[in-house]
Amino acid sequence: MELTLVVLIIIVGLTFDFTNGFHDAANAIATSISTRALTPRVALAMAAVMNFCGAFLGTGVAQTVGSGIIGAPEATSGLLLVLCALLGAIGWNVFTWWRGLPTSSSHALIGGLVGAALAASATVHWSGILDKVILPMLLSPLVGMALGYLLHTGILWVFRRSTPRRVVRRFRLAQTVSAAAMALGHGLQDAQKTMGVIVLALVTAGWQDDFSVPVWVIAAVAAAMAAGTYTGGRRIITTLGRRIVHLDPPRGFAAETAAAAVLYTTAFLVKAPISTTQTITAAILGAGATRRFSDVRWQVARSIGTAWILTFPGAGIPAAALYLLLHAATGL
């Protein structure tokens, strides 16, 4: 039974990573597609490759997710908890993708872990959640919005005497670099969260003693995310790229560069599992507000904000219910 559960968790974990890829593909490429800096096919292929490469850049976030969120019970009950957490997160990902809402796969996973842990009466590291999840969740969008606004304001000032057509052409080329940097940052951040959950399962089963990430886990997660990214996620691409604010190449470059800077800083320095979705959305809002705040479709932004708030319970409640149901049915 233990072997079966571990194998099932690995399969479901990679499935979650695949849904993360197609759900969050828009994070890296929506702005580049909407400004026509890249074609959808080229953008998706580039994002898939950079997501794959980003997964190999670090494991600090994975260790935070594996050891800093919950303390799973040993053996089969702990494995059942992890499995239900993944299923709850997958369900929320699929639902919000269907609705075209760019919510956070990362927070869905953490919400699933906490919900299943509470149902199992397991340990929840609330101080770790506050320091590594809640505070970064609140600060990263604010920083992303401010950076997006300031960076585009700087671009407007530097190129204020340049020919608009020439500036647009140059920034279409520059967006190739900024989109690649954003996709690399997404792989760096989001792939590690699935790695952390798989390692949590391995530690819970007693198959390894610490939360270091084996190379085969990194490779499997990277491949699953890259495959999911290449399949796209056009509903969310439309929301991020066109429905929030009209983007031109300079604004797109500013938003992607600002978001990528936040992703790298939090992954390497803070080792916090922040939301790439929240960060790029906030950066788009900041870059889009440099002309007039009325240019931003704040009603769409409010809908996205509501979905963000609902992400933790949206994944956590189904995960808890599923754990209680399976625990009662199987006795694990």
Side-chain angles (χ1 to χ4, degrees):
M1 177 60 72
E2 186 176 272
L3 174 62
T4 301
L5 283 172
V6 171
V7 172
L8 190 58
I9 286 170
I10 293 171
I11 294 172
V12 175
L14 295 178
T15 302
F16 168 79
D17 209 47
F18 182 86
T19 67
N20 185 310
F22 75 68
H23 188 278
D24 289 2
N27 296 340
I29 61 176
T31 54
S32 299
I33 292 174
S34 67
T35 61
R36 299 182 181 177
L38 296 170
T39 64
R41 181 172 296 181
V42 170
L44 285 167
M46 181 200 68
V49 171
M50 299 307 287
N51 268 290
F52 182 86
C53 294
F56 288 87
L57 294 182
T59 59
V61 174
Q63 294 181 24
T64 296
V65 172
S67 61
I69 306 300
I70 65 168
E74 295 182 357
T76 53
S77 60
L79 294 174
L80 184 65
L81 184 161
V82 176
L83 177 62
C84 293
L86 285 168
L87 291 173
I90 290 173
W92 183 252
N93 269 0
V94 172
F95 172 74
T96 51
W97 165 81
W98 176 63
R99 298 291 298 176
L101 294 172
T103 57
S104 170
S105 297
S106 307
H107 294 155
L109 180 59
I110 293 169
L113 285 169
V114 173
L118 291 175
S121 299
T123 301
V124 178
H125 301 308
W126 293 111
S127 60
I129 292 174
L130 177 63
D131 294 340
K132 296 294 187 179
V133 179
I134 302 299
L135 290 179
M137 180 184 73
L138 296 175
L139 292 177
S140 57
L142 295 176
V143 174
M145 181 180 291
L147 284 179
Y149 183 88
L150 293 173
L151 184 55
H152 188 249
T153 299
I155 290 171
L156 291 174
W157 187 83
V158 170
F159 293 96
R160 65 191 183 282
R161 293 189 178 91
S162 302
T163 305
R165 183 176 296 180
R166 181 177 297 178
V167 171
V168 167
R169 185 168 62 249
R170 288 177 178 175
F171 274 99
R172 277 206 176 102
L173 294 175
Q175 265 200 280
T176 304
V177 178
S178 62
M182 180 66 199
L184 190 71
H186 176 261
L188 169 66
Q189 265 283 347
D190 280 39
Q192 290 193 58
K193 293 143 192 174
T194 306
M195 296 178 204
V197 172
I198 292 176
V199 169
L200 175 61
L202 297 177
V203 171
T204 300
W207 292 13
Q208 66 179 58
D209 297 327
D210 58 21
F211 288 89
S212 60
V213 184
V215 175
W216 68 267
V217 174
I218 298 174
V221 168
M225 175 167 284
T229 299
Y230 189 70
T231 64
R234 293 181 183 270
R235 294 173 184 265
I236 297 172
I237 287 172
T238 299
T239 298
L240 269 182
R242 297 174 183 172
R243 289 181 59 201
I244 296 175
V245 66
H246 172 71
L247 291 173
D248 54 18
R251 282 186 174 84
F253 173 83
E256 289 169 342
T257 303
V262 175
L263 292 179
Y264 295 136
T265 300
T266 52
F268 289 125
L269 298 182
V270 186
K271 297 180 175 58
I274 69 163
S275 167
T276 55
T277 306
Q278 290 182 356
T279 305
I280 185 60
T281 304
I284 289 172
L285 290 171
T290 51
R291 181 183 299 167
R292 291 188 308 270
F293 272 75
S294 59
D295 286 348
V296 178
R297 298 183 180 95
W298 293 106
Q299 182 60 45
V300 177
R302 280 194 294 271
S303 298
I304 294 171
T306 301
W308 287 349
I309 294 171
L310 294 175
T311 294
F312 282 108
I317 292 173
L322 190 60
Y323 176 85
L324 293 173
L325 179 64
L326 293 179
H327 179 70
T330 61
L332 294 177

